[in-house]
Amino acid sequence: MRRPFCLALLPLLLLGPATADARLLPLHGQPLAPAAPYRETWRYTCNTEQQLGGGTITLTRLFTDEGNPDGGDFMRWNPKGYDPQKPQRPLDLELSYIWEPARQPAIEVREIEVKLRVGTDTDLPEVALLQIQRPFPVQPHGIIGSTALSTQVFPYGSYDLKNGHGELPLGDLLAYAEGYDTLGWKLIRPSERLGGSQNLAQGTIDIAALREAVAALPALRRALAAKTSDPKARCTRVLWPDITRY
Protein backbone atom coordinates (compact mmCIF):
# COMPACT_ATOMS: atom_id res chain seq x y z
CA MET A 1 0.00 0.00 0.00
CA ARG A 2 1.32 3.38 -0.95
CA ARG A 3 0.15 6.29 1.19
CA PRO A 4 -1.48 9.11 -0.76
CA PHE A 5 0.83 12.09 -0.85
CA CYS A 6 -1.68 14.32 0.91
CA LEU A 7 -1.89 11.90 3.84
CA ALA A 8 1.87 11.69 4.14
CA LEU A 9 2.05 15.50 4.15
CA LEU A 10 -0.71 16.15 6.67
CA PRO A 11 1.19 15.22 9.90
CA LEU A 12 3.98 17.59 8.84
CA LEU A 13 1.51 20.46 8.61
CA LEU A 14 0.56 19.90 12.24
CA LEU A 15 4.05 20.87 13.35
CA GLY A 16 3.29 24.53 12.81
CA PRO A 17 2.01 27.07 10.28
CA ALA A 18 4.11 28.41 7.45
CA THR A 19 5.61 31.83 8.04
CA ALA A 20 4.96 34.86 5.89
CA ASP A 21 8.51 34.63 4.58
CA ALA A 22 8.22 31.01 3.44
CA ARG A 23 8.84 30.55 -0.28
CA LEU A 24 8.41 27.73 -2.78
CA LEU A 25 11.35 26.77 -4.97
CA PRO A 26 10.83 28.37 -8.43
CA LEU A 27 11.13 26.66 -11.77
CA HIS A 28 14.30 27.38 -13.71
CA GLY A 29 14.34 30.96 -14.92
CA GLN A 30 11.33 32.07 -12.89
CA PRO A 31 11.34 34.51 -9.94
CA LEU A 32 10.83 33.29 -6.40
CA ALA A 33 7.11 32.90 -5.66
CA PRO A 34 5.52 33.43 -2.25
CA ALA A 35 4.16 30.39 -0.45
CA ALA A 36 0.42 29.83 -0.32
CA PRO A 37 -1.09 31.44 2.78
CA TYR A 38 -1.73 29.24 5.78
CA ARG A 39 -5.44 28.48 6.10
CA GLU A 40 -7.63 26.49 8.44
CA THR A 41 -11.15 25.20 7.92
CA TRP A 42 -13.59 23.43 10.19
CA ARG A 43 -13.40 19.67 10.50
CA TYR A 44 -14.92 17.05 12.75
CA THR A 45 -12.34 14.91 14.51
CA CYS A 46 -13.32 11.57 16.02
CA ASN A 47 -11.00 9.86 18.47
CA THR A 48 -10.85 6.59 20.31
CA GLU A 49 -8.12 5.87 22.85
CA GLN A 50 -7.04 2.99 25.03
CA GLN A 51 -4.59 2.86 27.89
CA LEU A 52 -2.49 -0.28 27.56
CA GLY A 53 0.01 -1.77 29.95
CA GLY A 54 2.92 -0.57 27.82
CA GLY A 55 1.54 2.72 26.51
CA THR A 56 -1.38 4.68 25.04
CA ILE A 57 -2.84 4.07 21.59
CA THR A 58 -5.09 6.60 19.82
CA LEU A 59 -7.00 6.43 16.53
CA THR A 60 -8.33 9.58 14.83
CA ARG A 61 -10.67 9.96 11.84
CA LEU A 62 -11.41 13.28 10.12
CA PHE A 63 -14.64 14.50 8.51
CA THR A 64 -15.44 17.66 6.58
CA ASP A 65 -17.71 20.29 8.09
CA GLU A 66 -20.53 18.69 6.07
CA GLY A 67 -19.89 15.35 7.77
CA ASN A 68 -18.17 13.58 4.86
CA PRO A 69 -14.99 11.47 5.28
CA ASP A 70 -11.85 13.57 4.90
CA GLY A 71 -8.27 12.34 4.69
CA GLY A 72 -7.56 9.05 6.40
CA ASP A 73 -7.31 7.38 9.79
CA PHE A 74 -4.35 8.31 11.97
CA MET A 75 -2.87 5.97 14.55
CA ARG A 76 -0.45 6.99 17.30
CA TRP A 77 1.08 4.89 20.05
CA ASN A 78 3.41 6.23 22.73
CA PRO A 79 5.04 4.25 25.55
CA LYS A 80 3.87 4.49 29.13
CA GLY A 81 4.91 7.76 30.76
CA TYR A 82 5.49 9.52 27.43
CA ASP A 83 5.73 13.31 27.70
CA PRO A 84 6.26 15.25 24.42
CA GLN A 85 7.84 18.08 26.41
CA LYS A 86 10.33 15.71 28.05
CA PRO A 87 11.23 12.95 25.59
CA GLN A 88 12.89 9.84 26.93
CA ARG A 89 16.65 9.71 26.61
CA PRO A 90 18.56 8.19 25.01
CA LEU A 91 15.76 6.58 22.93
CA ASP A 92 12.10 7.52 22.53
CA LEU A 93 9.68 5.35 20.49
CA GLU A 94 6.40 6.11 18.73
CA LEU A 95 4.23 4.02 16.41
CA SER A 96 2.53 5.84 13.54
CA TYR A 97 0.25 4.76 10.70
CA ILE A 98 -2.13 6.40 8.23
CA TRP A 99 -4.62 4.44 6.14
CA GLU A 100 -7.82 4.79 4.15
CA PRO A 101 -10.51 2.77 5.95
CA ALA A 102 -12.53 1.96 2.83
CA ARG A 103 -9.54 0.54 0.99
CA GLN A 104 -7.74 -1.07 3.90
CA PRO A 105 -10.01 -3.06 6.21
CA ALA A 106 -6.96 -4.94 7.48
CA ILE A 107 -3.89 -3.51 9.16
CA GLU A 108 -0.54 -4.09 7.46
CA VAL A 109 1.82 -4.43 10.43
CA ARG A 110 4.91 -3.98 8.27
CA GLU A 111 3.61 -0.57 7.17
CA ILE A 112 3.27 0.69 10.74
CA GLU A 113 6.21 2.98 11.28
CA VAL A 114 8.43 2.79 14.35
CA LYS A 115 9.66 6.33 14.87
CA LEU A 116 12.99 6.46 16.70
CA ARG A 117 14.09 9.65 18.46
CA VAL A 118 17.52 9.61 20.05
CA GLY A 119 19.21 12.08 22.36
CA THR A 120 22.87 12.07 23.37
CA ASP A 121 25.21 14.24 25.40
CA THR A 122 27.60 14.58 22.45
CA ASP A 123 27.05 15.61 18.84
CA LEU A 124 25.75 12.94 16.50
CA PRO A 125 27.61 12.18 13.27
CA GLU A 126 26.05 13.03 9.93
CA VAL A 127 24.69 9.47 9.85
CA ALA A 128 24.66 7.07 12.81
CA LEU A 129 23.39 3.49 13.00
CA LEU A 130 20.87 2.20 15.51
CA GLN A 131 21.55 -1.53 15.80
CA ILE A 132 19.08 -3.95 17.41
CA GLN A 133 20.44 -7.37 18.29
CA ARG A 134 19.04 -10.66 19.53
CA PRO A 135 21.05 -12.63 22.07
CA PHE A 136 22.34 -15.92 20.69
CA PRO A 137 23.70 -17.99 23.60
CA VAL A 138 26.02 -20.63 22.23
CA GLN A 139 28.08 -22.77 24.56
CA PRO A 140 30.92 -22.47 25.31
CA HIS A 141 31.64 -19.36 23.23
CA GLY A 142 29.05 -16.92 24.59
CA ILE A 143 27.22 -14.76 22.03
CA ILE A 144 27.27 -14.71 18.23
CA GLY A 145 27.24 -11.08 17.16
CA SER A 146 26.98 -11.26 13.39
CA THR A 147 23.19 -10.86 12.99
CA ALA A 148 21.43 -7.58 13.75
CA LEU A 149 18.61 -5.31 12.57
CA SER A 150 19.94 -1.82 11.79
CA THR A 151 18.58 1.51 10.59
CA GLN A 152 20.07 4.93 9.98
CA VAL A 153 19.70 7.82 12.42
CA PHE A 154 20.16 11.44 11.34
CA PRO A 155 20.56 14.58 13.50
CA TYR A 156 17.68 17.04 13.31
CA GLY A 157 19.98 19.60 11.75
CA SER A 158 23.03 21.78 12.28
CA TYR A 159 21.02 23.67 14.91
CA ASP A 160 20.58 20.48 17.00
CA LEU A 161 23.25 17.80 16.66
CA LYS A 162 22.55 16.13 19.99
CA ASN A 163 19.11 14.85 18.94
CA GLY A 164 18.26 12.72 15.94
CA HIS A 165 15.60 10.57 14.31
CA GLY A 166 15.18 7.37 12.33
CA GLU A 167 12.48 4.85 11.49
CA LEU A 168 11.92 1.21 10.61
CA PRO A 169 8.92 -1.02 9.81
CA LEU A 170 7.23 -2.47 12.89
CA GLY A 171 6.62 -5.77 11.11
CA ASP A 172 10.34 -6.21 10.47
CA LEU A 173 11.17 -5.47 14.09
CA LEU A 174 8.56 -7.91 15.45
CA ALA A 175 9.67 -10.64 13.05
CA TYR A 176 13.28 -10.18 14.10
CA ALA A 177 12.25 -10.16 17.79
CA GLU A 178 10.22 -13.39 17.62
CA GLY A 179 10.65 -15.27 20.87
CA TYR A 180 11.84 -12.26 22.90
CA ASP A 181 9.98 -9.69 25.03
CA THR A 182 12.89 -7.21 25.03
CA LEU A 183 15.84 -6.57 22.75
CA GLY A 184 18.98 -4.56 23.28
CA TRP A 185 20.01 -1.70 21.01
CA LYS A 186 23.13 0.39 20.41
CA LEU A 187 23.59 3.75 18.70
CA ILE A 188 26.81 3.49 16.70
CA ARG A 189 29.11 6.07 15.15
CA PRO A 190 30.42 4.10 12.14
CA SER A 191 34.02 4.29 11.05
CA GLU A 192 35.70 3.50 7.76
CA ARG A 193 38.43 1.70 9.69
CA LEU A 194 37.84 -1.94 10.61
CA GLY A 195 36.90 -2.12 14.28
CA GLY A 196 36.87 1.66 14.61
CA SER A 197 33.14 2.17 15.29
CA GLN A 198 32.08 3.88 18.54
CA ASN A 199 29.01 3.18 20.71
CA LEU A 200 27.25 6.47 21.52
CA ALA A 201 24.34 5.09 23.58
CA GLN A 202 22.57 1.83 24.37
CA GLY A 203 19.46 0.45 26.04
CA THR A 204 16.53 -1.95 25.58
CA ILE A 205 13.29 -1.94 23.57
CA ASP A 206 10.06 -3.27 25.11
CA ILE A 207 8.96 -5.64 22.35
CA ALA A 208 6.03 -6.98 24.40
CA ALA A 209 4.51 -3.47 24.56
CA LEU A 210 4.69 -3.14 20.77
CA ARG A 211 2.93 -6.49 20.30
CA GLU A 212 0.26 -5.33 22.77
CA ALA A 213 -0.37 -2.22 20.65
CA VAL A 214 -0.83 -4.26 17.48
CA ALA A 215 -3.21 -6.66 19.23
CA ALA A 216 -5.38 -3.72 20.39
CA LEU A 217 -5.86 -2.19 16.92
CA PRO A 218 -8.78 -4.31 15.61
CA ALA A 219 -11.00 -3.55 18.62
CA LEU A 220 -10.07 0.13 18.49
CA ARG A 221 -10.96 0.34 14.80
CA ARG A 222 -14.36 -1.24 15.50
CA ALA A 223 -14.97 1.29 18.28
CA LEU A 224 -13.96 4.15 15.98
CA ALA A 225 -16.28 2.90 13.22
CA ALA A 226 -19.21 2.86 15.66
CA LYS A 227 -18.42 6.37 16.89
CA THR A 228 -18.12 7.83 13.40
CA SER A 229 -21.53 6.62 12.21
CA ASP A 230 -22.79 10.12 13.13
CA PRO A 231 -19.73 12.42 13.29
CA LYS A 232 -21.66 15.66 13.72
CA ALA A 233 -23.34 14.31 16.84
CA ARG A 234 -20.56 12.21 18.35
CA CYS A 235 -17.32 13.93 17.29
CA THR A 236 -15.61 17.27 17.97
CA ARG A 237 -15.67 20.25 15.58
CA VAL A 238 -12.21 21.82 15.36
CA LEU A 239 -10.15 24.10 13.12
CA TRP A 240 -7.81 22.02 10.95
CA PRO A 241 -5.03 23.18 8.57
CA ASP A 242 -5.84 22.97 4.86
CA ILE A 243 -3.50 20.89 2.74
CA THR A 244 -1.41 22.96 0.35
CA ARG A 245 -1.90 21.77 -3.24
CA TYR A 246 0.97 22.43 -5.64
Side-chain angles (χ1 to χ4, degrees):
M1 187 279 299
R2 182 181 295 274
R3 299 178 190 172
F5 174 75
C6 63
L7 297 185
L9 177 65
L10 183 54
L12 301 179
L13 296 176
L14 303 183
L15 297 178
T19 64
D21 293 331
R23 297 291 185 269
L24 300 179
L25 292 177
L27 298 176
H28 180 70
Q30 292 184 352
L32 195 66
Y38 177 77
R39 294 188 178 92
E40 293 180 322
T41 54
W42 288 102
R43 300 284 198 278
Y44 284 93
T45 176
C46 304
N47 299 297
T48 182
E49 182 177 290
Q50 185 175 351
Q51 300 287 336
L52 305 174
T56 301
I57 188 167
T58 305
L59 300 185
T60 301
R61 183 173 297 173
L62 290 176
F63 292 84
T64 66
D65 203 28
E66 292 74 31
N68 300 316
D70 182 62
D73 288 6
F74 303 83
M75 183 270 282
R76 289 287 184 272
W77 173 91
N78 293 111
K80 187 176 181 179
Y82 172 77
D83 181 351
Q85 302 302 319
K86 298 178 181 179
Q88 298 288 324
R89 293 173 68 93
L91 178 65
D92 196 21
L93 293 182
E94 178 185 322
L95 300 183
S96 176
Y97 190 40
I98 305 172
W99 69 90
E100 293 182 89
R103 298 183 183 180
Q104 291 178 259
I107 297 162
E108 298 291 340
V109 178
R110 193 181 182 278
E111 294 179 359
I112 296 177
E113 180 184 26
V114 183
K115 294 185 177 181
L116 308 166
R117 300 185 182 92
V118 302
T120 63
D121 294 330
T122 59
D123 287 352
L124 291 168
E126 184 177 350
V127 180
L129 291 177
L130 191 137
Q131 185 179 82
I132 302 165
Q133 191 155 11
R134 297 178 293 205
F136 289 88
V138 178
Q139 299 296 333
H141 302 297
I143 293 177
I144 297 174
S146 60
T147 302
L149 181 66
S150 299
T151 190
Q152 294 177 321
V153 171
F154 303 90
Y156 280 112
S158 57
Y159 60 90
D160 185 3
L161 294 174
K162 291 182 170 57
N163 295 281
H165 63 97
E167 60 278 324
L168 56 85
L170 176 60
D172 289 5
L173 176 57
L174 294 183
Y176 180 78
E178 184 177 359
Y180 299 94
D181 287 338
T182 60
L183 285 183
W185 63 269
K186 292 181 180 178
L187 184 66
I188 297 171
R189 180 192 298 270
S191 172
E192 295 179 357
R193 296 183 296 107
L194 183 63
S197 299
Q198 176 187 359
N199 290 342
L200 301 175
Q202 62 184 15
T204 59
I205 294 177
D206 188 346
I207 300 297
L210 303 182
R211 292 195 188 104
E212 179 190 41
V214 173
L217 278 173
L220 275 168
R221 293 198 68 182
R222 289 193 295 269
L224 184 62
K227 186 174 183 180
T228 56
S229 59
D230 187 359
K232 286 192 172 184
R234 306 187 64 183
C235 303
T236 305
R237 190 170 183 252
V238 297
L239 279 172
W240 197 268
D242 281 344
I243 298 174
T244 302
R245 300 187 182 277
Y246 297 95

Short mmCIF file of all heavy atoms in Angstrom, two decimals, residues 216-246:
data_model
loop_
_atom_site.label_atom_id
_atom_site.label_comp_id
_atom_site.label_asym_id
_atom_site.label_seq_id
_atom_site.Cartn_x
_atom_site.Cartn_y
_atom_site.Cartn_z
N ALA A 216 -4.26 -4.58 20.01
CA ALA A 216 -5.38 -3.72 20.39
C ALA A 216 -6.02 -3.02 19.20
O ALA A 216 -7.14 -2.51 19.31
CB ALA A 216 -4.90 -2.67 21.40
N LEU A 217 -5.36 -2.97 18.05
CA LEU A 217 -5.86 -2.19 16.92
C LEU A 217 -7.21 -2.64 16.38
O LEU A 217 -8.07 -1.80 16.12
CB LEU A 217 -4.82 -2.18 15.80
CG LEU A 217 -3.69 -1.15 15.96
CD1 LEU A 217 -2.64 -1.35 14.88
CD2 LEU A 217 -4.23 0.27 15.93
N PRO A 218 -7.48 -3.93 16.17
CA PRO A 218 -8.78 -4.31 15.61
C PRO A 218 -9.96 -3.83 16.44
O PRO A 218 -10.95 -3.29 15.90
CB PRO A 218 -8.70 -5.84 15.55
CG PRO A 218 -7.25 -6.13 15.42
CD PRO A 218 -6.57 -5.09 16.27
N ALA A 219 -9.90 -4.00 17.76
CA ALA A 219 -11.00 -3.55 18.62
C ALA A 219 -11.14 -2.04 18.59
O ALA A 219 -12.25 -1.50 18.59
CB ALA A 219 -10.78 -4.04 20.05
N LEU A 220 -10.02 -1.33 18.55
CA LEU A 220 -10.07 0.13 18.49
C LEU A 220 -10.68 0.61 17.18
O LEU A 220 -11.44 1.57 17.15
CB LEU A 220 -8.67 0.70 18.65
CG LEU A 220 -8.17 0.89 20.08
CD1 LEU A 220 -6.67 1.19 20.08
CD2 LEU A 220 -8.92 2.00 20.78
N ARG A 221 -10.39 -0.06 16.09
CA ARG A 221 -10.96 0.34 14.80
C ARG A 221 -12.47 0.09 14.78
O ARG A 221 -13.23 0.88 14.21
CB ARG A 221 -10.27 -0.40 13.67
CG ARG A 221 -8.81 0.02 13.49
CD ARG A 221 -8.28 -0.38 12.14
NE ARG A 221 -8.93 0.39 11.08
CZ ARG A 221 -8.68 0.21 9.80
NH1 ARG A 221 -7.82 -0.71 9.41
NH2 ARG A 221 -9.31 0.93 8.89
N ARG A 222 -12.91 -1.00 15.41
CA ARG A 222 -14.36 -1.24 15.50
C ARG A 222 -15.03 -0.16 16.33
O ARG A 222 -16.12 0.32 15.98
CB ARG A 222 -14.62 -2.63 16.08
CG ARG A 222 -14.25 -3.78 15.14
CD ARG A 222 -14.81 -5.09 15.65
NE ARG A 222 -14.22 -5.50 16.92
CZ ARG A 222 -13.13 -6.26 17.02
NH1 ARG A 222 -12.50 -6.68 15.92
NH2 ARG A 222 -12.66 -6.60 18.20
N ALA A 223 -14.40 0.23 17.44
CA ALA A 223 -14.97 1.29 18.28
C ALA A 223 -15.01 2.62 17.53
O ALA A 223 -15.98 3.38 17.66
CB ALA A 223 -14.15 1.42 19.56
N LEU A 224 -13.98 2.90 16.74
CA LEU A 224 -13.96 4.15 15.98
C LEU A 224 -15.05 4.14 14.91
O LEU A 224 -15.73 5.15 14.69
CB LEU A 224 -12.59 4.34 15.33
CG LEU A 224 -12.38 5.65 14.57
CD1 LEU A 224 -12.53 6.85 15.50
CD2 LEU A 224 -11.01 5.67 13.90
N ALA A 225 -15.24 3.00 14.25
CA ALA A 225 -16.28 2.90 13.22
C ALA A 225 -17.66 3.16 13.81
O ALA A 225 -18.50 3.83 13.20
CB ALA A 225 -16.23 1.53 12.56
N ALA A 226 -17.92 2.64 15.02
CA ALA A 226 -19.21 2.86 15.66
C ALA A 226 -19.40 4.33 16.02
O ALA A 226 -20.48 4.90 15.86
CB ALA A 226 -19.33 1.99 16.90
N LYS A 227 -18.34 4.97 16.47
CA LYS A 227 -18.42 6.37 16.89
C LYS A 227 -18.62 7.30 15.71
O LYS A 227 -19.29 8.33 15.82
CB LYS A 227 -17.14 6.75 17.64
CG LYS A 227 -17.18 8.14 18.26
CD LYS A 227 -15.94 8.38 19.11
CE LYS A 227 -15.99 9.73 19.80
NZ LYS A 227 -14.79 9.98 20.63
N THR A 228 -18.07 6.93 14.55
CA THR A 228 -18.12 7.83 13.40
C THR A 228 -19.35 7.61 12.52
O THR A 228 -19.43 8.19 11.43
CB THR A 228 -16.85 7.64 12.53
OG1 THR A 228 -16.72 6.26 12.15
CG2 THR A 228 -15.61 8.06 13.31
N SER A 229 -20.29 6.80 12.98
CA SER A 229 -21.53 6.62 12.21
C SER A 229 -22.32 7.92 12.13
O SER A 229 -23.08 8.15 11.20
CB SER A 229 -22.38 5.52 12.83
OG SER A 229 -22.71 5.85 14.18
N ASP A 230 -22.13 8.81 13.13
CA ASP A 230 -22.79 10.12 13.13
C ASP A 230 -21.78 11.14 13.64
O ASP A 230 -21.83 11.56 14.81
CB ASP A 230 -24.03 10.09 14.02
CG ASP A 230 -24.85 11.38 13.92
OD1 ASP A 230 -24.43 12.29 13.17
OD2 ASP A 230 -25.90 11.46 14.59
N PRO A 231 -20.82 11.57 12.80
CA PRO A 231 -19.73 12.42 13.29
C PRO A 231 -20.19 13.76 13.83
O PRO A 231 -19.61 14.28 14.79
CB PRO A 231 -18.83 12.58 12.06
CG PRO A 231 -19.70 12.26 10.89
CD PRO A 231 -20.67 11.24 11.37
N LYS A 232 -21.22 14.35 13.24
CA LYS A 232 -21.66 15.66 13.72
C LYS A 232 -22.21 15.59 15.15
O LYS A 232 -22.13 16.56 15.90
CB LYS A 232 -22.71 16.24 12.78
CG LYS A 232 -22.14 16.74 11.46
CD LYS A 232 -23.17 17.55 10.70
CE LYS A 232 -22.57 18.21 9.48
NZ LYS A 232 -23.54 19.06 8.77
N ALA A 233 -22.77 14.46 15.51
CA ALA A 233 -23.34 14.31 16.84
C ALA A 233 -22.34 13.77 17.85
O ALA A 233 -22.41 14.10 19.03
CB ALA A 233 -24.57 13.39 16.79
N ARG A 234 -21.39 12.94 17.40
CA ARG A 234 -20.56 12.21 18.35
C ARG A 234 -19.09 12.60 18.31
O ARG A 234 -18.30 12.07 19.08
CB ARG A 234 -20.69 10.70 18.07
CG ARG A 234 -22.13 10.21 18.07
CD ARG A 234 -22.20 8.70 17.97
NE ARG A 234 -21.61 8.07 19.13
CZ ARG A 234 -21.49 6.74 19.27
NH1 ARG A 234 -21.90 5.94 18.29
NH2 ARG A 234 -20.94 6.22 20.35
N CYS A 235 -18.72 13.54 17.41
CA CYS A 235 -17.32 13.93 17.29
C CYS A 235 -17.16 15.42 17.58
O CYS A 235 -18.14 16.13 17.80
CB CYS A 235 -16.79 13.58 15.90
SG CYS A 235 -16.94 11.81 15.50
N THR A 236 -15.92 15.90 17.55
CA THR A 236 -15.61 17.27 17.97
C THR A 236 -15.29 18.14 16.76
O THR A 236 -14.48 17.76 15.90
CB THR A 236 -14.40 17.27 18.93
OG1 THR A 236 -14.68 16.41 20.03
CG2 THR A 236 -14.14 18.68 19.44
N ARG A 237 -15.92 19.31 16.68
CA ARG A 237 -15.67 20.25 15.58
C ARG A 237 -14.46 21.12 15.95
O ARG A 237 -14.45 21.79 16.98
CB ARG A 237 -16.90 21.12 15.34
CG ARG A 237 -16.86 21.98 14.08
CD ARG A 237 -18.22 22.60 13.83
NE ARG A 237 -18.26 23.38 12.59
CZ ARG A 237 -18.31 24.70 12.53
NH1 ARG A 237 -18.34 25.40 13.67
NH2 ARG A 237 -18.35 25.32 11.38
N VAL A 238 -13.45 21.11 15.07
CA VAL A 238 -12.21 21.82 15.36
C VAL A 238 -11.72 22.51 14.09
O VAL A 238 -12.11 22.16 12.97
CB VAL A 238 -11.10 20.86 15.86
CG1 VAL A 238 -11.50 20.20 17.17
CG2 VAL A 238 -10.78 19.81 14.80
N LEU A 239 -10.85 23.50 14.25
CA LEU A 239 -10.15 24.10 13.12
C LEU A 239 -8.97 23.22 12.74
O LEU A 239 -8.20 22.80 13.61
CB LEU A 239 -9.67 25.51 13.47
CG LEU A 239 -10.72 26.62 13.38
CD1 LEU A 239 -10.16 27.91 13.93
CD2 LEU A 239 -11.19 26.80 11.93
N TRP A 240 -8.84 22.95 11.43
CA TRP A 240 -7.81 22.02 10.95
C TRP A 240 -7.09 22.67 9.77
O TRP A 240 -7.72 23.30 8.93
CB TRP A 240 -8.47 20.72 10.51
CG TRP A 240 -7.52 19.56 10.38
CD1 TRP A 240 -6.85 19.18 9.25
CD2 TRP A 240 -7.11 18.66 11.40
NE1 TRP A 240 -6.06 18.08 9.50
CE2 TRP A 240 -6.21 17.75 10.82
CE3 TRP A 240 -7.44 18.53 12.75
CZ2 TRP A 240 -5.63 16.71 11.55
CZ3 TRP A 240 -6.85 17.50 13.47
CH2 TRP A 240 -5.96 16.62 12.87
N PRO A 241 -5.75 22.53 9.68
CA PRO A 241 -5.03 23.18 8.57
C PRO A 241 -5.41 22.57 7.23
O PRO A 241 -5.51 21.35 7.09
CB PRO A 241 -3.56 22.94 8.92
CG PRO A 241 -3.57 21.74 9.82
CD PRO A 241 -4.85 21.82 10.60
N ASP A 242 -5.61 23.44 6.23
CA ASP A 242 -5.84 22.97 4.86
C ASP A 242 -4.54 22.42 4.30
O ASP A 242 -3.45 22.87 4.65
CB ASP A 242 -6.32 24.12 3.98
CG ASP A 242 -7.80 24.43 4.20
OD1 ASP A 242 -8.49 23.57 4.78
OD2 ASP A 242 -8.23 25.52 3.80
N ILE A 243 -4.68 21.47 3.40
CA ILE A 243 -3.50 20.89 2.74
C ILE A 243 -3.12 21.77 1.55
O ILE A 243 -3.98 22.12 0.74
CB ILE A 243 -3.78 19.45 2.28
CG1 ILE A 243 -4.10 18.58 3.50
CG2 ILE A 243 -2.63 18.91 1.47
CD1 ILE A 243 -4.53 17.19 3.13
N THR A 244 -1.86 22.16 1.47
CA THR A 244 -1.41 22.96 0.35
C THR A 244 -1.34 22.08 -0.89
O THR A 244 -0.75 21.00 -0.86
CB THR A 244 0.00 23.55 0.63
OG1 THR A 244 -0.08 24.34 1.82
CG2 THR A 244 0.45 24.40 -0.53
N ARG A 245 -1.93 22.52 -1.99
CA ARG A 245 -1.90 21.77 -3.24
C ARG A 245 -0.99 22.51 -4.24
O ARG A 245 -1.22 23.66 -4.55
CB ARG A 245 -3.33 21.62 -3.82
CG ARG A 245 -4.25 20.90 -2.86
CD ARG A 245 -5.59 20.60 -3.50
NE ARG A 245 -6.48 19.94 -2.57
CZ ARG A 245 -6.47 18.63 -2.32
NH1 ARG A 245 -5.64 17.86 -2.95
NH2 ARG A 245 -7.34 18.12 -1.45
N TYR A 246 0.00 21.81 -4.73
CA TYR A 246 0.97 22.43 -5.64
C TYR A 246 0.53 22.24 -7.08
O TYR A 246 -0.06 21.24 -7.42
CB TYR A 246 2.37 21.81 -5.43
CG TYR A 246 2.88 22.07 -4.05
CD1 TYR A 246 2.69 21.12 -3.05
CD2 TYR A 246 3.51 23.25 -3.74
CE1 TYR A 246 3.18 21.34 -1.76
CE2 TYR A 246 3.97 23.48 -2.45
CZ TYR A 246 3.81 22.53 -1.48
OH TYR A 246 4.28 22.77 -0.22
#
